[in-house]
Amino acid sequence: QLQLVESGGGLVQPGGSLRLSCTASGFTVDNYAIGWFRQAPGKEREGVSCIYRRGGSTNYADSVKGRFTISRDNAKNTVYLQMNSLKPEDTAVYYCAAHWSPLYSGTYCLTWGYDYWGQGTQVTVSS
């Protein structure tokens, strides 16, 4: 059974940092594209960042470029989202998701239909 579990959310002040983790079971994250998405109350879900399979390209939404970094630790079968310089508008439930594609690079991984989703972790940025 393929599962994804997010962790690392919480309450942080503006300008602070958090690192979200997405740990997989039942499959190897290095063989899949992994995406991070978020949904704020009353808003549609939006793509934040994604990483292609086998250490491939990374993509970011314009709203987080230069502040967020996605990475993968294959030994831990985990994908991370390091979030720095957090803003109140980053407040949302963050989800990770997995999608199999033969591609190693590109600029479209945030537009794909992802197949497997975690349960989400709340991030609140507030003073």
Side-chain angles (χ1 to χ4, degrees):
Q1 185 177 1
L2 279 68
Q3 279 192 317
L4 293 165
V5 177
E6 302 96 335
S7 61
L11 173 64
V12 63
Q13 291 187 341
S17 298
L18 281 174
R19 187 179 76 162
L20 305 184
S21 300
C22 172
T23 301
S25 59
F27 70 102
T28 302
V29 290
D30 198 36
N31 289 336
Y32 283 72
I34 304 296
W36 282 98
F37 299 81
R38 66 187 182 186
Q39 187 164 22
K43 294 188 177 181
E44 291 188 356
R45 186 176 64 200
E46 64 171 336
V48 174
S49 181
C50 53
I51 184 167
Y52 282 75
R53 65 194 295 253
R54 301 290 177 92
S57 304
T58 57
N59 294 173
Y60 297 92
D62 288 343
S63 59
V64 306
K65 277 181 183 175
R67 300 188 298 123
F68 290 12
T69 303
I70 190 170
S71 62
R72 179 170 22 216
D73 184 335
N74 292 332
K76 296 183 178 180
N77 213 29
T78 297
V79 173
Y80 300 101
L81 185 69
Q82 178 67 44
M83 307 186 296
N84 298 329
S85 303
L86 282 161
K87 304 175 182 180
E89 52 263 43
D90 294 318
T91 296
V93 178
Y94 284 70
Y95 301 89
C96 67
H99 174 73
W100 190 87
S101 164
L103 300 177
Y104 297 98
S105 64
T107 58
Y108 302 106
C109 58
L110 282 177
T111 68
W112 292 341
Y114 280 68
D115 308 296
Y116 307 101
W117 290 82
Q119 82 290 348
T121 186
Q122 176 71 46
V123 171
T124 302
V125 185
S126 175
S127 55

